[in-house]
Amino acid sequence: MDPFRLGMPKIPGLTELLTTLQAQTEALAQLPRTLTELNGAVRELIAATSTATSAISSAQRTAERLEGLVGELEEPVRALKPGLERVGRVLDDPAVEAVPDIIRTIETDLLPMISTIRQAQERVVGVTGLLRRRGRPDDADGAF
């Protein structure tokens, strides 16, 4: 029989002691599961640290390679600077803006003329070829 249920007077502090002991017992009962979870978390942390170490090592190798490439390219790129500045000045010239219009004019005005000249040239070649095939009377004697 439980003396506390019979209505016996409470001893001061005993209830609190029993409550504390019960909470401590429950905490101790959960301790193995907590330790297992902690152990798993530590393993995951170790794996993550290992992965991070590998990633840092890889990043360091990549950085070293990039540093070497930058060292190789730095001088040639610096040598290009004056030429690029000259090209920039040329491209800033207002005459460059006129180039598309000039090309358009050449395409619309000059190319048809050249086509006409080519056609005329082909006709002249055709006529001269016809004359050569017919031959001249003086050609038979071999004199011009």
Side-chain angles (χ1 to χ4, degrees), residues 12-68:
L14 184 61
T15 306
E16 290 84 12
L17 177 65
L18 289 175
T19 304
T20 305
L21 286 175
Q22 183 178 3
Q24 186 177 14
T25 304
E26 289 173 1
L28 286 174
Q30 292 179 5
L31 186 61
R33 184 177 57 109
T34 304
L35 289 176
T36 303
E37 290 174 358
L38 179 62
N39 193 13
V42 168
R43 283 189 187 126
E44 288 178 16
L45 180 61
I46 290 170
T49 303
S50 175
T51 302
T53 302
S54 296
I56 289 170
S57 176
S58 176
Q60 185 175 5
R61 286 191 306 272
T62 302
E64 289 170 359
R65 289 180 64 200
L66 286 174
E67 187 176 329

Side-chain angles (χ1 to χ4, degrees), residues 17-134:
L17 177 65
L18 289 175
T19 304
T20 305
L21 286 175
Q22 183 178 3
Q24 186 177 14
T25 304
E26 289 173 1
L28 286 174
Q30 292 179 5
L31 186 61
R33 184 177 57 109
T34 304
L35 289 176
T36 303
E37 290 174 358
L38 179 62
N39 193 13
V42 168
R43 283 189 187 126
E44 288 178 16
L45 180 61
I46 290 170
T49 303
S50 175
T51 302
T53 302
S54 296
I56 289 170
S57 176
S58 176
Q60 185 175 5
R61 286 191 306 272
T62 302
E64 289 170 359
R65 289 180 64 200
L66 286 174
E67 187 176 329
L69 287 172
V70 167
E72 289 177 21
L73 294 174
E74 186 173 7
E75 185 178 329
V77 169
R78 287 185 191 276
L80 289 173
K81 183 180 177 183
L84 291 173
E85 288 173 345
R86 284 193 303 273
V87 167
R89 285 192 298 274
V90 167
L91 292 176
D92 286 340
D93 190 332
V96 173
E97 291 180 21
V99 170
D101 293 332
I102 293 169
I103 292 173
R104 218 174 286 112
T105 302
I106 289 171
E107 187 177 32
T108 58
D109 296 342
L110 191 58
L111 290 180
M113 279 196 259
I114 291 172
S115 176
T116 304
I117 292 171
R118 282 190 182 146
Q119 289 173 358
Q121 180 187 14
E122 289 171 2
R123 289 182 186 146
V124 169
V125 167
V127 169
T128 56
L130 181 64
L131 291 176
R132 284 187 188 155
R133 279 186 290 218
R134 283 181 152 184

